[in-house]
Amino acid sequence: KTGSLLVIYDADVLEAELLINAIVRLSGFEDETELNVCAAGNEIRLAHRSLNYAILDKSKGLLDINTVLPFAFISLAIYEYSRTGTLGTPQPITLLYWAYDMLGLKG
């Protein structure tokens, strides 16, 4: 009646995403939920999560991938501007846009 479900599983044997996808399919909510069961997409998300944990660990919780990447892009844009003297080239503009978007500044 509460609409909740408790699932106990061994994370070393089964990935949470696969379990969630199976539960959604079996419950009939597949059409209402956006699932990504693509193997490549799952691997990319796993690599992203691993890299994020590594950055968090090395920086003792100070930085994560969502703060490192935008500032890296901003640094590259500044470097390119100082090297060429213009923002007319696509690379710095693109890097600034990505940083803007990743910092959550985009509406």
Side-chain angles (χ1 to χ4, degrees):
K1 291 188 175 195
T2 64
S4 62
L5 174 69
L6 173 63
V7 178
I8 300 172
Y9 70 99
D10 186 350
D12 293 330
V13 176
L14 183 65
E15 289 184 28
E17 290 179 48
L18 293 175
L19 180 60
I20 292 168
N21 288 339
I23 292 169
V24 169
R25 281 197 186 124
L26 291 171
S27 66
F29 293 115
E30 189 172 12
D31 293 336
E32 299 175 25
T33 308
E34 184 179 316
L35 293 176
N36 187 349
V37 293
C38 167
N42 287 336
E43 291 301 316
I44 290 169
R45 276 191 299 284
L46 182 60
H48 176 269
R49 208 174 6 217
S50 298
L51 181 58
N52 191 45
Y53 288 139
I55 292 170
L56 280 166
D57 185 49
K58 292 291 183 188
S59 69
K60 296 184 182 359
L62 181 64
L63 301 170
D64 66 358
I65 198 166
N66 294 328
T67 53
V68 168
L69 283 178
F71 288 111
F73 290 148
I74 290 169
S75 299
L76 287 170
I78 292 169
Y79 169 76
E80 185 67 18
Y81 180 77
S82 68
R83 193 175 67 81
T84 65
T86 180
L87 285 177
T89 60
Q91 296 86 4
I93 295 298
T94 302
L95 293 173
L96 287 172
Y97 175 78
W98 288 343
Y100 181 75
D101 188 35
M102 290 174 148
L103 287 169
L105 301 173
K106 186 175 152 186

